[in-house]
Amino acid sequence: MGMQSDIKLIDENGLRIDGRKPDELRPIKIEVGVLNRADGSAYIEWGGNKILAAVYGPREAFPKHTQNPSRAIVNARYNMAAFSVDERKRPGPDRRAIEISKVISEALEASIFVEQFPRTSIDVYIEVLQADAGTRIAGLTAASVALADAGIPMKDLVVGCAAGKIDGKIVLDLNKEEDNYGEADLPLAIIPRTQEIVLMQMDGNMTREEVRQAIEMAKKAALFISNLQKEALRAKYEKGEIQKAEENLNAEVNKGE
Ligand code: UDP
């Protein structure tokens, strides 16, 4: 953010370096249940981001002193693979990963009915395999799908998007160059059903009016992405139902022979 350069981020036709309009999202693809060992999982491709999310729990929290007798604790761990960025990232948690893990944990916790699972922990692992800006929101969006895949009751799927400012203009869903050379980035996540904002951060500078515009733009996009999350879940479970029905039919046919 805010790196000095002569790079023009918006051309004379009002398009961005990757050809998008100011309020256009990068392509998003979500897949559910991609891992067999975890209780729930999801994979998301969002522009150049590739991220896996896996969920374990609710299970007895360990060590015991971390247990809360009235509710579950939500532990999200955001990790960037060494090979996820241009310049090899030193493995292991850094300050940034610790911060992102904390804000993601809090955002997910706001939607989960944690009081239904006292003394337990819900562990969420977010592995960034390839990064291109916007990974905290893409990771959070995948994580909430993985929670649903694990059968964890929630108010709604948490979903988000970032908006920001480049070349003096408010735009949606910044990519890496825009994040590096733009003026501001504002990641936001909501619970669509209740309209609660569960994550909001800002890097760089915007006026009050620009912040308002960015929030509106990000919220609108989040509602669109919320449908992609639901479609991805439906695709897995409807496919599962069809498979089950076919197996039952085959079993019946075999019995009859
Ligand atoms: N990034 C990087 N190396 C790092 C951290 C971040 O190359 O150690 C890149 C990566 O592409 C990331 C982007 O910078 O997606 C923006 O990072 P930021 O901290 O703004 O978080 P994000 O936008 O991914 O949520």
Side-chain angles (χ1 to χ4, degrees):
M1 189 74 13
M3 275 164 70
Q4 290 300 312
S5 87
D6 299 328
I7 297 181
K8 251 175 82 81
L9 296 172
I10 299 186
D11 71 13
E12 52 285 356
N13 301 318
L15 297 179
R16 297 152 69 177
I17 36 182
D18 55 11
R20 280 185 292 156
K21 298 191 199 84
D23 61 350
E24 196 174 332
L25 274 172
R26 292 176 284 180
I28 299 175
K29 206 178 83 188
I30 306 172
E31 226 179 302
V32 183
V34 291
L35 304 170
N36 292 337
R37 310 273 179 261
D39 295 326
S41 61
Y43 171 66
I44 192 164
E45 285 184 6
W46 181 325
N49 295 310
K50 295 184 179 186
I51 304 172
L52 266 176
V55 168
Y56 287 92
R59 55 185 180 180
E60 188 183 2
F62 192 80
K64 265 199 148 87
H65 70 83
T66 63
Q67 293 183 356
N68 184 321
S70 57
R71 59 181 194 83
I73 46 175
V74 180
N75 285 323
R77 198 201 63 169
Y78 166 102
N79 181 53
M80 234 177 181
F83 51 81
S84 65
V85 286
D86 290 332
E87 205 148 310
R88 176 185 177 274
K89 192 201 154 287
R90 196 161 169 259
D94 51 16
R95 284 177 59 154
R96 176 178 170 276
I98 292 165
E99 171 207 311
I100 295 177
S101 300
K102 179 174 187 290
V103 293
I104 290 180
S105 298
E106 289 169 359
L108 293 172
E109 195 179 314
S111 186
I112 299 172
F113 290 112
V114 283
E115 63 289 350
Q116 291 185 12
F117 307 101
R119 300 187 191 283
T120 67
S121 74
I122 298 170
D123 301 312
V124 182
Y125 297 91
I126 296 168
E127 299 290 331
V128 179
L129 307 177
Q130 189 173 289
D132 191 41
T135 58
R136 77 193 61 205
I137 292 297
L140 173 58
T141 298
S144 90
V145 173
L147 284 168
D149 186 40
I152 291 173
M154 290 178 279
K155 293 184 199 166
D156 199 349
L157 297 165
V158 175
V159 64
C161 192
K165 184 179 170 185
I166 59 170
D167 284 359
K169 225 176 150 21
I170 302 301
V171 297
L172 188 67
D173 186 24
L174 279 66
N175 67 22
K176 180 78 164 62
E177 287 75 24
E178 294 171 334
D179 185 296
N180 282 357
Y181 302 111
E183 289 107 273
D185 185 29
L186 184 149
L188 174 115
I190 58 169
I191 299 176
R193 182 165 294 165
T194 61
Q195 296 282 316
E196 280 168 83
I197 292 180
V198 291
L199 182 154
M200 187 163 82
Q201 299 184 285
M202 189 166 94
D203 196 7
N205 289 312
M206 285 194 275
T207 65
R208 186 186 285 253
E209 175 53 25
E210 286 168 341
V211 168
R212 197 193 58 75
Q213 277 180 38
I215 291 174
E216 278 317 302
M217 205 185 246
K219 260 191 176 173
K220 196 168 152 216
L223 293 175
F224 171 79
I225 300 160
S226 163
N227 286 326
L228 301 182
Q229 290 177 308
K230 287 169 188 159
E231 274 168 29
L233 283 161
R234 239 178 262 131
K236 176 187 167 186
Y237 286 98
E238 278 172 9
K239 205 167 86 195
E241 287 304 310
I242 292 167
Q243 239 164 24
K244 243 189 272 165
E246 276 173 356
E247 278 164 20
N248 287 343
L249 194 67
N250 285 340
E252 286 300 319
V253 169
N254 291 340
K255 239 198 289 178
E257 274 172 1

